[in-house]
Amino acid sequence: MKTPIIIDTDPGIDDVIAITAGLFAEELDVKLITTVGGNVGIENTTRNAVNLVNFLGKDTPVAKGADEPLLNKLVTASAVHGESGVGGYQFEEKAGIANLSNRHAVEEMRDVILHSNEPVTLVPIGPLTNIALLIKMYPETKSNIKEIVLMGGAAQGGNRTPVAEFNIFVDPHAAKIVFDEQIKITMCGLDITRLTSITTENVREIEGYGKVGDMVSRLLSDYDSTTSTQNHFTIHDLCTIFYLTRPEIFKGKRATVNVVTEGEASGCTVTHYTENGHVFVCLDADVEEFRREFVSTFKKVYETMEG
Ligand code: RIB
Ligand code: CA
């Protein structure tokens, strides 16, 4: 039985890689992709999501969501992902974008969740604005949400500030709403994403995998150095998908997480470890297995697309 999921995203180079892995994962059924302002503005994140779905030959519906955080002004990460959000990579712009909904992402999420026979897993890999809006506007959906597996936060450190990770920093008020909800959450924060970086050797292995390998390797060549060191790329968002398809790779602890919403520490995810916490914080992984999964995933995608 495939797990029904909704990916909420701000593509974004690492988002593109995560979405690609999710769309071809035999364990997952991606019911909907929703977009949010984050890495770049909403028009670019939405265009990137639609172009990617078309590039991959999928018909997954896409719906545009919040352009701005709940209260704060949008802060982007175009320095990391390029002004377009996908570096210098040019996706073919297909005329007549068939799979972009004319309804707001939150409305589409509500319908997918309420009409699903199986509880739906939410996979937010950008700021949590849409998820907070869903919870507040349609609380009846909570009973059919299996869990939230998100990329965001950190038990230790930050990347937008010394104490705040970007997705939480952009919309701390939304993040507080989500983390305060007693919905089961798995937090793939910087603690795990920085550990499970991909090597240049891994990227070299996949660059020959047809158009998808070429796309991924070219995107990563544009991925800013703050996210990649000389020989490693931190593909943050990919952790959420591999957590869902290969949970045995990961280890962590249960916690409650308090989000700081004001002042110099805004966006900090204060992590309190407790056995009965509703948040599972990923803290360790079999890194070599993660890297093998990266290579084998894109080999499978290549063979499926061009085999
Ligand atoms: O901090 C990393 C996160 O911020 C990732 O989701 C990346 O895509 C950016 O959105
Ligand atoms: Ca992202």
Side-chain angles (χ1 to χ4, degrees):
M1 169 70 78
K2 286 177 174 261
T3 302
I5 72 170
I6 295 172
I7 300 176
D8 188 66
T9 178
D10 61 337
I13 287 172
D14 57 326
D15 302 68
V16 165
I17 295 169
I19 294 166
T20 301
L23 287 173
F24 285 88
E26 59 199 21
E27 304 86 346
L28 305 177
D29 178 6
V30 184
K31 292 292 190 186
L32 173 67
I33 294 171
T34 52
T35 60
V36 64
N39 284 319
V40 290
I42 189 71
E43 295 307 326
N44 281 350
T45 60
T46 304
R47 187 180 64 244
N48 293 337
V50 173
N51 287 346
L52 174 63
V53 170
N54 284 329
F55 172 90
L56 297 171
K58 297 289 185 179
D59 60 1
T60 311
V62 178
K64 182 163 85 171
D67 56 352
E68 295 276 344
L70 295 183
L71 297 178
N72 292 355
K73 286 304 290 168
L74 178 64
V75 169
T76 67
S78 51
V80 173
H81 298 267
E83 289 302 320
S84 70
V86 287
Y89 192 79
Q90 297 294 326
F91 282 104
E92 182 193 353
E93 299 269 354
K94 288 211 174 164
I97 296 168
N99 51 12
L100 177 59
S101 166
N102 56 14
R103 299 203 305 163
H104 193 281
V106 174
E107 307 299 333
E108 293 288 7
M109 278 200 269
R110 172 194 176 277
D111 284 3
V112 165
I113 294 166
L114 293 184
H115 296 149
S116 176
N117 295 327
E118 291 294 320
V120 176
T121 296
L122 304 185
V123 186
I125 52 178
L128 291 165
T129 316
N130 291 334
I131 310 301
L133 289 170
L134 174 77
I135 290 170
K136 288 300 179 187
M137 288 169 63
Y138 300 116
E140 65 274 23
T141 59
K142 289 190 288 188
S143 60
N144 210 30
I145 293 174
K146 180 180 179 185
E147 65 174 320
I148 297 174
V149 180
L150 63 86
M151 192 280 134
Q156 303 276 341
N159 60 358
R160 187 66 192 209
T161 78
V163 295
E165 178 278 327
F166 177 77
N167 288 339
I168 310 300
F169 176 82
V170 169
D171 197 341
H173 304 94
K176 177 168 181 53
I177 289 169
V178 174
F179 276 100
D180 285 356
E181 273 302 324
Q182 292 304 309
I183 298 175
K184 183 183 170 196
I185 293 172
T186 295
M187 179 171 115
C188 299
L190 297 177
D191 321 280
I192 197 70
T193 65
R194 284 173 164 162
L195 181 69
T196 52
S197 59
I198 298 297
T199 68
T200 47
E201 177 53 36
N202 300 144
V203 177
R204 260 199 297 278
E205 283 184 80
I206 71 154
E207 61 192 12
Y209 292 163
K211 65 179 209 172
V212 70
D214 174 65
M215 181 263 287
V216 171
S217 60
R218 284 165 62 189
L219 281 174
L220 288 175
S221 66
D222 288 340
Y223 204 23
D224 176 72
S225 58
T226 57
T227 304
S228 50
T229 60
Q230 195 176 355
N231 297 312
H232 286 76
F233 298 95
T234 307
I235 308 179
H236 300 280
D237 296 334
L238 185 59
C239 277
T240 60
I241 301 300
F242 283 1
Y243 176 80
L244 285 167
T245 58
R246 297 290 310 277
E248 74 281 2
I249 293 179
F250 299 87
K251 292 192 177 75
K253 289 182 185 171
R254 311 208 68 76
T256 55
V257 174
N258 294 336
V259 180
V260 178
T261 57
E262 308 297 338
E264 189 177 10
S266 182
C268 180
T269 45
V270 183
T271 303
H272 301 275
Y273 297 118
T274 169
E275 272 310 303
N276 53 17
H278 67 288
V279 182
F280 180 73
V281 181
C282 293
L283 296 167
D284 197 5
D286 179 340
V287 178
E288 287 316 309
E289 189 55 30
F290 186 99
R291 290 170 176 164
R292 280 191 291 271
E293 186 69 13
F294 171 81
V295 174
S296 65
T297 291
F298 285 93
K299 186 168 191 287
K300 269 190 288 186
V301 173
Y302 163 54
E303 288 166 351
T304 307
M305 286 179 71
E306 302 181 38

XYZ file of all heavy atoms in Angstrom, residues 8 25 27 182 259:
38
model
N 4.742 20.057 0.112
C 4.597 21.520 0.137
C 5.989 22.111 0.003
O 6.861 21.820 0.829
C 3.934 21.956 1.457
C 3.583 23.445 1.467
O 2.706 23.857 0.684
O 4.218 24.191 2.240
N 9.168 7.316 -6.218
C 9.304 6.333 -5.130
C 8.118 5.373 -5.166
O 6.959 5.806 -5.106
C 9.367 7.051 -3.784
N 7.108 3.514 -2.918
C 6.410 3.487 -1.621
C 5.433 4.652 -1.442
O 4.641 4.664 -0.509
C 7.436 3.563 -0.469
C 8.505 2.492 -0.465
C 9.719 2.852 -1.341
O 9.634 3.796 -2.160
O 10.735 2.158 -1.200
N -0.633 18.992 18.298
C -0.266 17.632 18.737
C -0.429 16.641 17.585
O -1.047 15.589 17.717
C -1.121 17.223 19.940
C -0.802 18.017 21.196
C 0.679 17.938 21.595
O 1.252 16.844 21.703
N 1.321 19.091 21.788
N 9.159 27.093 19.130
C 9.705 27.989 18.101
C 9.725 29.416 18.631
O 8.699 29.942 19.076
C 8.861 27.928 16.812
C 9.452 28.867 15.745
C 8.790 26.496 16.273
